[in-house]
Amino acid sequence: MSWKVTAFAPRPMIEGALVAHEDAWDWDHDIVLSGREVAEDQPDDWQLEAWLDRKPTRADKAAIARLFAGSTAPAPKLSVEQLPDTDWLVASQDGLEPIRAGVFHVHTPDHPASNEPGLFDFTIPASQAFGTGHHATTAGCLAMLTHMKAHGVIVRNCADIGTGTGLLAFAALKLWPHTLAIASDIDGVCVGVVEDNAAANGIALGAGRGQLTMTVAAGMDNPLIAARGPYDLVLANILAGPLVSLAPDFGKALVPGGHLLLAGLLETQEAAVRAACARAGLRLAARMVSGDWSILWLRKRRRWQD
């Protein structure tokens, strides 16, 4: 049995609540939060949704309401509804249309593969992990990886931090087929998801070149990730708060001149992420905007640079 709490408000209020959620160190992680437009033709009207596997308590609703404390407008009314017994993440992804991002075509098993020359085709089913390619951040990363490859980036060793379904690691292996690759996620359920998706997409698992190693880790705090470095490329499509916290670790994990691809941050959060990266010796190479989200390609300064 699951429940959902919904709040309707103008976009700036919802975005502010999402930022407050990232900064809430004592947040109950059993409450899964997201924000989105009410409808495509109502870009300024947004809704905050919180999912729980229990009936929301007074404390739960108070915690959600506190996310709006920084707004000058009154907090929106919260509505509570009980949902059918289903995996809300799978349900939200079910029936998604295929997407084209850069040189990648991504679709669920409900849709046929693309035979278009020059495209890499991935079948990524709806699952218990994020990263089917349909979210603007994942699609933006695929587009940016394509851009990096076109501009001569060479990758011999890469790490995908917070991999979810494994899609971005798969994409890196397609663009640079002889690279060493490791993927990690804080959620252990992703191990099976990545293994299944790798098998479905012809991605070899292992520790050799052209193969993917999967591990469970919180950020960069993992002996295997440390031992496999330093890296030419680190990918991280997570959230702005962790990106700021992890910036020093990203900097240390990269070779001089190495590449960092970041996503999961709203445009309004970009300045804070870039400032943290600058302090870690990382400079902006290029940026894209995908919906309301920023996709950042940064490079580690070489030793002879300022």
Side-chain angles (χ1 to χ4, degrees), residues 153-208:
V153 171
I154 297 173
V155 178
R156 302 177 183 87
N157 191 11
C158 71
D160 180 11
I161 307 302
T163 192
T165 63
L167 177 57
L168 295 183
F170 300 168
L173 281 165
K174 290 295 185 181
L175 291 174
W176 298 281
H178 301 296
T179 190
L180 294 169
I182 186 169
S184 69
D185 202 283
I186 195 170
D187 188 350
V189 75
C190 293
V191 174
V193 171
V194 170
E195 290 174 348
D196 290 345
N197 288 340
N201 289 282
I203 302 295
L205 297 176

